[in-house]
Amino acid sequence: MNRRLAAGAAVVGTAAALVLSGCGADEEEAPSGAGTIGVAMPTETSERWISDGQTLAAGLEEAGYDVDLRYAGDDTAGFKQADQVQAMIDGGAELLIIAAVDGAGLGDQLKAAAAQDIPVIAYDRLLLESDGVDHYVTFDNYAVGVAQATSLLQGIGVVDDDGEPTGDEGPYNIELFAGSLDDNNAHMFWEGAMDTLAPYLEDGVVKVPSGQTEIVAAETWRWSKDLAQDRMESLLAQFYADGTELDGVLSPYDGVSRGAITALALDGLGPKIADGMPVVTGQDAEAASVKLIREKMQYSTVFKDTRLLADAAVAAALAYLEGGEPEVNDTETYDNGVKMVPTYLLGVSTVNRGDIDEVLVDSGYYTDDEITVG
Ligand code: BGC
């Protein structure tokens, strides 16, 4: 077993930090165990990817593998992730688990991996435009979008707890945010959300005063909190300065939600939902957003249990390394432009204020302290 990553998640956290700090990922010491698995994660600016990386490393270590875990700092301009994955291949990785920054940005590396029979597992984000991806583990991304839009409609009162129309005809004003368009998930979230909102938009129960109902206009490049704040500020200045009320914001990710909420709070619309803060959705149950949900600033988040996703990726990796095939439960949804990628899908759940304790604390995802304000 790798001496750096031997003793569970706490040690793994330290080891991952070591790999990433100081002399940097590229000068990492040579692996010591029987085989090395390369784990490429997109960024540390989002809590979820940090814990995904740690859980993956812990699971692989427990199975006796060394782990080369690298974070790409969301960088595409400098090709950082491509360089990292190339270094993993050159360093003799037996298998790669990749959550891409840019889904279509690793073509050369995937080709090199295929040429050396290195299995590649796409982790949460589909690897696009390449036949060098063998397996995909993810959550039901369309269902995430459906959950976000349903929660938005529930929050403003247009549908009930079961998602059925309440008969409230509004009209309610909403604005729409999408994720980063080089991430296939952003498109799936949007599709699920827009299919859910469509009947209410068509009937005029829900309106988008900015008219920005195309994904390109709603994009948040790199899922950036700051860009979301900027866009929300400019939407408020352009379309709400005359006193038009904003009732809801469809947000695909908690960081984007917090950007929008910051703009809304600065605009004097906050601070609490009951006092006029629009209903804002989210995703990932990030601690900072769970606190905002407790504080009634953010309405909901979609929880994806990344522990289960990491377990599924580790199981798939071990299946390949032991000469077998991983479990698949979807062979029809994830066409990456070149091939239909065999997929293992996990479910998602919406977390409202009242669900926090049961879903996030009782399950051990967070301690109460981690999501308590103050
Ligand atoms: C993931 C989301 C995450 C987003 C931003 C997406 O690919 O599926 O869980 O919120 O990236 O990191």
Side-chain angles (χ1 to χ4, degrees):
M1 226 190 232
N2 181 336
R3 63 205 138 73
R4 288 178 296 119
L5 297 171
V11 177
V12 168
T14 315
L18 278 179
V19 167
L20 296 161
S21 68
C23 56
D26 297 336
E27 291 169 45
E28 198 193 356
E29 61 188 272
S32 60
T36 300
I37 315 285
V39 177
M41 292 284 118
T43 178
E44 290 170 287
T45 55
S46 160
E47 292 160 15
R48 72 150 288 185
W49 299 115
I50 297 174
S51 83
D52 286 67
Q54 289 177 351
T55 317
L56 281 167
L60 294 165
E61 276 294 319
E62 203 172 308
Y65 288 89
D66 291 344
V67 176
D68 183 355
L69 169 65
R70 303 184 191 223
Y71 284 86
D74 258 345
D75 168 86
T76 42
F79 303 103
K80 184 163 181 181
Q81 192 168 51
D83 291 346
Q84 289 178 333
V85 173
Q86 190 61 52
M88 290 171 188
I89 296 169
D90 295 344
E94 295 198 6
L95 181 142
L96 298 169
I97 298 177
I98 303 174
V101 176
D102 172 356
L106 298 171
D108 291 347
Q109 289 67 38
L110 299 184
K111 210 169 173 182
Q116 296 179 46
D117 289 328
I118 300 171
V120 174
I121 299 172
Y123 186 83
D124 197 59
R125 296 177 172 176
L126 187 58
L127 290 161
L128 301 168
E129 305 300 334
S130 168
D131 59 8
V133 49
D134 299 289
H135 185 71
Y136 182 33
V137 291
T138 190
F139 296 91
D140 185 336
N141 293 300
Y142 182 86
V144 170
V146 171
Q148 288 166 338
T150 303
S151 178
L152 178 62
L153 294 170
Q154 280 167 343
I156 59 183
V158 166
V159 304
D160 63 19
D161 289 351
D162 301 321
E164 298 303 323
T166 57
D168 183 344
E169 291 182 352
Y172 293 101
N173 293 329
I174 63 170
E175 293 296 338
L176 311 170
F177 284 72
S180 194
L181 297 194
D182 54 355
D183 179 348
N184 188 59
N185 289 351
H187 299 267
M188 308 257 335
F189 302 155
W190 181 263
E191 214 182 306
M194 292 311 276
D195 286 353
T196 307
L197 293 176
Y200 302 92
L201 288 166
E202 274 157 26
D203 290 355
V205 174
V206 165
K207 295 181 187 301
V208 181
S210 69
Q212 295 179 12
T213 55
E214 298 297 324
I215 192 169
V216 174
E219 175 177 27
T220 314
W221 175 245
R222 286 283 167 269
W223 308 87
S224 156
K225 173 178 179 291
D226 293 346
L227 290 179
Q229 181 180 339
D230 290 351
R231 177 161 175 260
M232 189 76 250
E233 279 169 6
S234 95
L235 289 171
L236 290 170
Q238 283 183 65
F239 303 101
Y240 297 88
D242 61 358
T244 300
E245 264 184 41
L246 176 61
D247 302 296
V249 176
L250 176 82
S251 163
Y253 156 56
D254 285 344
V256 169
S257 316
R258 293 197 298 279
I261 286 168
T262 305
L264 291 163
L266 294 176
D267 199 62
L269 284 175
K272 312 250 180 200
I273 292 165
D275 302 334
M277 175 62 95
V279 170
V280 181
T281 63
Q283 175 176 210
D284 290 341
E286 293 201 328
S289 279
V290 177
K291 287 180 186 172
L292 287 181
I293 295 171
R294 280 191 155 164
E295 292 289 290
K296 299 188 182 170
M297 304 270 287
Q298 183 171 325
Y299 182 72
S300 64
T301 188
V302 173
F303 175 52
K304 307 197 297 194
D305 194 333
T306 53
R307 296 169 299 188
L308 302 181
L309 188 67
D311 286 351
V314 171
L318 297 182
Y320 281 124
L321 293 164
E322 287 159 12
E325 287 288 326
E327 190 180 344
V328 165
N329 61 12
D330 182 296
T331 51
E332 288 172 0
T333 311
Y334 291 97
D335 184 340
N336 80 344
V338 174
K339 71 187 271 194
M340 191 63 80
V341 183
T343 300
Y344 187 77
L345 279 183
L346 291 158
V348 303
S349 58
T350 302
V351 172
N352 293 313
R353 199 157 165 269
D355 308 314
I356 292 174
D357 288 343
E358 190 186 331
V359 180
L360 300 176
V361 181
D362 295 352
S363 77
Y365 197 75
Y366 288 126
T367 62
D368 194 54
D369 271 4
E370 286 171 320
I371 51 171
T372 298
V373 184

